[in-house]
Amino acid sequence: PIQAVVAAGAPSASLPVNKSVVISEEDEARQAIDMLRGEDVAARVAAANRLEAIAAALGHQRTRDELLPFLTDGVDDEDEVLVAVASSLGKMVQHVGGPAHAQTLLAPVELLLTVDENTVRDVATESAKTIAKVLSPTVFQQKYATMVAELATNEWFTSRISAAGLIPDAFTRLTTQQQQEHLQHFNSLCRDDTPMVRRV
């Protein structure tokens, strides 16, 4: 588990042989994760801004299997921390193994697209668009389009606000049937009971 990075001990055998580099990366990852779990908001923000370094130390597999679930479980945090996390997620495609594994970033991003603070949602929206650009057509249509549709029909108005910002950008990459469905979603959002949704 991710806690293994925090615990003292020898670096993972899966990391490079150069011990000086390994120790440096492991120490940085351990320190940043400790900060993410601490009570100091400023320290958590700083750690969230270092997620790329943490992911580099963990490697692709552990980033997908440990770091992303860790981040997904931690979305109940201060807005400043969540903004930093949302921003970092959009820069982590290479750290999860490239475009072939970029869809693993969608789970934490989707949760950030539902939070109350609009600044967090705005940054998460831009990260979602960045991730979407590298998804294969199949993954885009199966995973990303489904995520957007679920946001559009979610009972929480914050999710629907995010969907309204994502549908236009995604429209041209959807199948013909999905375009019709998403156009219906968008029309519904334009008539939403919540003024903030309609204004998007």
Side-chain angles (χ1 to χ4, degrees):
I2 196 73
Q3 287 84 347
V5 179
V6 182
S12 170
S14 64
L15 291 174
V17 176
N18 186 328
K19 292 185 178 180
S20 62
V21 175
V22 172
I23 293 172
S24 175
E25 290 179 344
E26 285 286 333
D27 284 346
E28 183 174 11
R30 185 182 302 115
Q31 180 186 26
I33 291 172
D34 276 338
M35 291 164 64
L36 275 173
R37 299 170 64 181
E39 297 182 359
D40 188 328
V41 174
R44 294 205 302 276
V45 172
N49 283 319
R50 293 167 59 190
L51 286 179
E52 291 178 86
I54 298 174
L58 293 176
H60 299 163
Q61 188 71 46
R62 292 181 67 192
T63 295
R64 296 195 301 267
D65 295 347
E66 302 173 26
L67 181 59
L68 294 184
F70 177 77
L71 295 175
T72 301
D73 289 341
V75 295
D76 184 18
D77 206 330
E78 299 293 332
D79 294 335
E80 301 95 319
V81 179
L82 298 183
V83 167
V85 171
S87 177
S88 293
L89 287 171
K91 306 170 187 174
M92 288 179 61
V93 171
Q94 63 175 326
H95 297 299
V96 297
H101 297 282
Q103 69 188 69
T104 59
L105 293 164
L106 294 179
V109 168
E110 182 175 4
L111 288 177
L112 293 169
L113 289 167
T114 69
V115 302
D116 290 337
E117 175 54 43
N118 64 298
T119 306
V120 177
R121 294 196 309 273
D122 289 345
V123 176
T125 295
E126 293 308 310
S127 287
K129 292 177 180 179
T130 298
I131 296 164
K133 290 178 181 177
V134 304
L135 297 176
S136 68
T138 299
V139 173
F140 184 91
Q141 292 161 6
Q142 292 180 352
K143 302 293 185 179
Y144 188 79
T146 299
M147 179 191 79
V148 174
E150 290 175 350
L151 289 169
T153 55
N154 195 295
E155 63 177 312
W156 298 104
F157 76 92
T158 52
S159 300
R160 301 197 301 275
I161 289 175
S162 294
L166 292 172
I167 290 175
D169 195 70
F171 194 76
T172 58
R173 295 189 62 191
L174 301 171
T175 65
T176 301
Q177 180 178 348
Q178 287 177 327
Q179 286 181 340
Q180 295 174 348
E181 294 170 351
H182 281 65
L183 186 57
Q184 291 175 353
H185 291 320
F186 194 76
N187 287 335
S188 296
L189 294 172
C190 291
R191 301 190 302 270
D192 198 273
D193 292 337
T194 305
M196 287 183 288
V197 177
R198 297 196 302 270
R199 283 199 296 267
V200 176

